[in-house]
Amino acid sequence: MMGHKEIEGLIQKRMDREITKDEEILLFQHLKKCKECQDYYLEMERVKDEIASLIEFFPGQDFNARVLNKIGVKKSKLLRRLMPVFIGLYLASLILLLFSPLVNYLSSKILLATPDIFHILDKIKPIGNGILLLASSFIKLNLEQIFIGLLLTIVVFYAFIRGVKKEEKWGFKNSY
């Protein structure tokens, strides 16, 4: 004979649709005899039906803004004020890179180091594709993404300049 705890477990398994046929037969045989377990089973069925009949609630689009306004949190306007400055710095660094003698210096290093011109063109092609991809995706970016791109460009440019300075420090001078 099964105890009330085992029967409650079987009731839960039936609610979860995990009960076997044999267990279901045992459950209903016990429910016919035990009024307490029968009441528990009917209550669980009622709760299951109530839960199934609940209406899902989805807050409106302005829910987050209303909550933040209610608790007194305001959006930072500092980023919006600084964004034109960072965009200007970003564009200035790109222009500086394009017109600096560093590009000529690097291209001459590459041309002197690699005698096969087609090998160089194969290496430059992905860079051009990357620049085109960057330019096309630049139009789709929001202000935060542009800011992150600017920071990454500055970090990469800084690391590149440090690498060139280390090269000159170790005596790899221009031979022409």
Side-chain angles (χ1 to χ4, degrees):
M1 173 123 193
M2 298 184 81
H4 292 294
K5 289 291 181 190
E6 291 87 6
I7 295 299
E8 286 179 12
L10 290 178
I11 291 171
Q12 188 60 48
K13 283 178 82 172
R14 186 162 196 292
M15 297 293 148
D16 294 338
R17 294 187 179 115
E18 297 175 352
I19 195 167
T20 64
K21 279 288 183 193
D22 294 335
E23 290 173 331
E24 193 170 34
I25 291 170
L26 285 172
L27 172 66
F28 285 115
Q29 284 176 353
H30 181 84
L31 290 178
K32 286 179 186 177
K33 299 175 191 171
C34 181
K35 176 74 172 146
E36 184 180 336
C37 291
Q38 189 179 34
D39 290 342
Y40 179 76
Y41 175 76
L42 292 173
E43 181 66 23
M44 293 301 289
E45 282 287 333
R46 188 188 64 76
V47 169
K48 183 179 116 182
D49 292 340
E50 289 291 324
I51 289 173
S53 69
L54 288 176
I55 298 172
E56 289 188 48
F57 173 74
F58 296 101
Q61 291 180 350
D62 63 335
F63 178 75
N64 288 343
R66 287 184 299 153
V67 169
L68 291 175
N69 188 29
K70 192 81 167 176
I71 62 175
V73 176
K74 295 181 181 177
K75 287 186 176 180
S76 173
K77 294 184 181 180
L78 178 64
L79 184 62
R80 294 213 184 265
R81 281 190 265 145
L82 289 177
M83 197 53 62
V85 173
F86 288 120
I87 292 172
L89 286 172
Y90 182 73
L91 293 175
S93 66
L94 285 177
I95 291 170
L96 181 67
L97 181 62
L98 287 175
F99 291 112
S100 72
L102 188 61
V103 175
N104 289 335
Y105 171 74
L106 291 175
S107 62
S108 67
K109 284 276 195 183
I110 292 171
L111 287 174
L112 291 174
T114 310
D116 188 12
I117 189 78
F118 295 109
H119 186 66
I120 294 169
L121 292 176
D122 286 340
K123 287 187 174 190
I124 293 174
K125 186 177 178 183
I127 296 171
N129 290 342
I131 291 171
L132 286 175
L133 181 64
L134 176 68
S136 66
S137 64
F138 185 75
I139 297 168
K140 301 173 189 173
L141 298 177
N142 61 27
L143 292 176
E144 289 82 12
Q145 291 169 328
I146 293 171
F147 177 69
I148 291 169
L150 171 66
L151 288 177
L152 287 174
T153 302
I154 291 170
V155 168
V156 169
F157 188 69
Y158 175 74
F160 181 73
I161 295 298
R162 285 189 54 115
V164 169
K165 285 184 180 178
K166 282 185 181 178
E167 184 177 294
E168 289 177 2
K169 178 182 173 185
W170 289 98
F172 301 110
K173 299 289 181 190
N174 201 351
S175 61
Y176 54 90

